[in-house]
Amino acid sequence: MINPYRFGTEGPAGGLWVQVHDNIYGGSDGSVYSSAINDAGNRIIVSARDGDNGPDINSGYVKAYSNVGSEWLQVGQTLYGEAEYNYFGGNVNINNSGDTFITSAYLASSNTGGQYSGKVYVYKLINGTWSPVGQTIGGIQGGLDKLGSATAINADGTRIAIGNWNYTSTGGQRAGIVRIFKLVNDAWVLMQTIDGPNTDDQFGFSISFNSAGTEIAIGATGNPTVVDLADSEPLEHEGYVDIYENTSGDVWQNNKYPRLFPSPRDGWQRFGSIVRLSGDGTRLLVHANDASVAYTEIYEDVGKTGEWVKLLREPVLNSSNYGTANLSTDGSSFIQGQSIEPYGVARVFSETTETWEQIGQTVYGTQPGDQWGSVAAINGDGSVFVAGGPQHDEEPQDGVSEGIVQVWRKEAGEPPVTQAPVITIIEITFREYYQDAGVEIAVDEFGTDITADVTVTGAEEVERRDQRANNPRTFQYEFNFRLPGVYTIRYTVRDAYGRYSNAYRTVTVVDDVPPTLALLGEEVVSIGQGSTYIEAGVTFDNWPLDVPHLQSGFYAYDYTQFIIPPEN
């Protein structure tokens, strides 16, 4: 029996995550935004929605990679958006075998919906080339319809679903809409349109099929019907999840499962930001992605009775960062990613005999601030996952964030004893323009020198990084602290298992030079009794911000003398 509401264990268990081959980077023409992985874990789809195609800025592009030998090789051609600012690749999903995927360009203009109505595309790998499947599906409502802000594809690639959370439907403005299609004679035929029932429901924000494509979970993040605990008033963006079944022919109904709402609590929740059905439809992942209450829940209906039982409620590590989540096809595991500082994280949870536990070590991003964990997907049995960070900057000097994707595989064994790497800092002497001496050495628990992996952050960092002549693996960093105060320089290093250490140096900038004042006008001034005197003031010169203080009637600094004549 599974223990309800059981959190994952603090420590890793049940295996070790090992990276599969090298990193995959975006390019100078666009950063990684979304990714998907097939059931076997040997093919991934990577998109860069802000990618450029020559002069077409932000047209977007999508690439596919296969695990071949000892590397990830691109399979098929790079696919580009049709025009600038299409944001092609804003959403990608792959079928079970990995030979078919669906993607969207939600700001593309279409013949059916007009400007910014959006488009959705399906591609199949045929003889090494990605070929269109059926027709391109256009939006049906112009003006930021955002067709394809959510997409889904079933196991064999013959059914697709498209969500438009911003759509004004019969339910009202931003009620949202979901359209479901089937493939007939190489054409996508509309089965049913499902409208969001209420204004601002944002119905279709997230969608997911079971493997057969006969059930679909639909998340609506904007629903305001749940009562807030604090004041008994409805709150916006609480959210809900509906399950629809293909009961006969092209008919979809939601009369089996009651609507799922989040537990009442203070604050927005956006319950249904992410929904994922297992392949057999017996398990459902729901992620609530609001900053104050982000969490992932797992529900189960073993006998398909129409009643969901909550198995797990796993909070994100730091609810001030939203995160993502994804469920394996067999429903046994899920991944939770979150772009916290200094490094984002990816964690996998799996079901054990009596509970759910974190499996393997937490995998951290490679660079502070790269938003690692905001991209995350898991394969069919939970043994392989893909994760990435769109803001990773592999070549800092070019000023472009290429983004990064990594694939990790679960292997037998346990991570080594939890011991963070050790950093040794060189002592320094303060100078006004301060060049930090850097890190002498950073080693992991096995004594391996990982100094080259050290990153540094601090106030007012100058765009300059010089290798020291006597140690090419140690760097010096120059800082310009222009104001008095206390500044902290942070060095960070991460080992192969994702554990990291920080070392800090405190630099105190002291203003120890008194102000230099010069009178404007004469030192001695004579005026007649009863006359009005206007003080000329002073000039001052000192680094950086010494300013005379003014008080009523005279200056605080004693640089003038008032002569009071005796009374008659």
Side-chain angles (χ1 to χ4, degrees), residues 210-470:
N210 65 345
S211 290
T214 55
E215 294 178 311
I216 187 170
I218 303 173
T221 60
N223 179 265
T225 59
V226 176
V227 175
D228 174 33
L229 295 179
D231 55 13
S232 299
E233 292 293 332
L235 274 180
E236 294 181 354
H237 303 298
E238 290 285 356
Y240 63 80
V241 175
D242 278 344
I243 305 294
Y244 280 77
E245 290 186 299
N246 182 199
T247 53
S248 63
D250 292 343
V251 178
W252 292 77
Q253 295 179 320
N254 67 336
N255 52 13
K256 180 176 180 178
Y257 288 95
R259 179 168 290 172
L260 274 177
F261 289 103
S263 302
R265 58 170 299 152
D266 293 341
W268 292 6
Q269 297 195 57
R270 295 187 184 276
F271 185 79
S273 297
I274 299 170
V275 293
R276 293 292 183 268
L277 275 174
S278 62
D280 61 7
T282 62
R283 287 194 170 169
L284 170 67
L285 176 148
V286 181
H287 188 72
N289 215 9
D290 189 74
S292 60
V293 291
Y295 58 85
T296 302
E297 292 185 341
I298 304 293
Y299 295 83
E300 185 178 51
D301 180 12
V302 176
K304 303 296 288 182
T305 61
E307 182 179 355
W308 292 111
V309 177
K310 188 186 297 185
L311 303 181
L312 173 78
R313 189 173 193 274
E314 178 64 30
V316 297
L317 288 176
N318 180 347
S319 60
S320 65
N321 298 90
Y322 296 88
T324 189
N326 213 310
L327 183 69
S328 62
T329 303
D330 65 7
S332 67
S333 306
F334 71 94
I335 185 171
Q336 193 181 73
Q338 191 182 14
S339 54
I340 61 175
E341 292 291 345
Y343 293 105
V345 301
R347 303 184 297 165
V348 175
F349 296 84
S350 290
E351 179 186 5
T352 62
T353 304
E354 296 183 351
T355 185
W356 292 70
E357 292 184 303
Q358 182 178 340
I359 300 301
Q361 76 277 20
T362 298
V363 178
Y364 291 85
T366 61
Q367 191 178 79
D370 64 2
Q371 296 183 7
W372 167 268
S374 58
V375 174
I378 195 165
N379 78 324
D381 63 3
S383 62
V384 183
F385 73 83
V386 56
Q391 293 301 312
H392 181 90
D393 190 355
E394 184 61 15
E395 299 179 358
Q397 66 272 13
D398 65 9
V400 176
S401 297
E402 299 91 352
I404 187 174
V405 167
Q406 295 177 340
V407 181
W408 293 74
R409 180 182 62 243
K410 184 172 65 177
E411 294 187 353
E414 301 292 341
V417 177
T418 302
Q419 178 180 325
V422 177
I423 299 176
T424 302
I425 292 186
I426 302 169
E427 295 301 321
I428 57 92
T429 302
F430 168 75
R431 288 176 293 169
E432 181 173 311
Y433 276 85
Y434 169 61
Q435 182 170 300
D436 192 73
V439 172
E440 183 173 15
I441 192 170
V443 295
D444 64 16
E445 63 181 298
F446 305 108
T448 304
D449 186 344
I450 55 175
T451 309
D453 298 326
V454 172
T455 59
V456 63
T457 55
E460 310 267 350
E461 183 174 354
V462 174
E463 293 292 334
R464 178 176 152 190
R465 181 162 122 159
D466 299 322
Q467 290 188 330
R468 292 173 57 191
N470 63 336

Side-chain angles (χ1 to χ4, degrees), residues 56-121:
D56 292 339
I57 300 172
N58 298 149
S59 60
Y61 63 78
V62 176
K63 297 180 180 182
Y65 295 87
S66 288
N67 184 352
V68 180
S70 60
E71 60 183 327
W72 289 103
L73 293 179
Q74 185 174 348
V75 56
Q77 75 279 25
T78 300
L79 298 166
Y80 291 95
E82 299 175 22
E84 64 179 2
Y85 301 113
N86 273 196
Y87 293 101
F88 178 77
N91 190 286
V92 292
N93 279 287
I94 194 170
N95 72 335
N96 284 15
S97 67
D99 67 352
T100 307
F101 73 89
I102 183 173
T103 190
S104 62
Y106 58 81
L107 286 186
S109 299
S110 69
N111 294 330
T112 53
Q115 191 174 26
Y116 307 133
S117 57
K119 288 182 177 179
V120 169
Y121 310 78

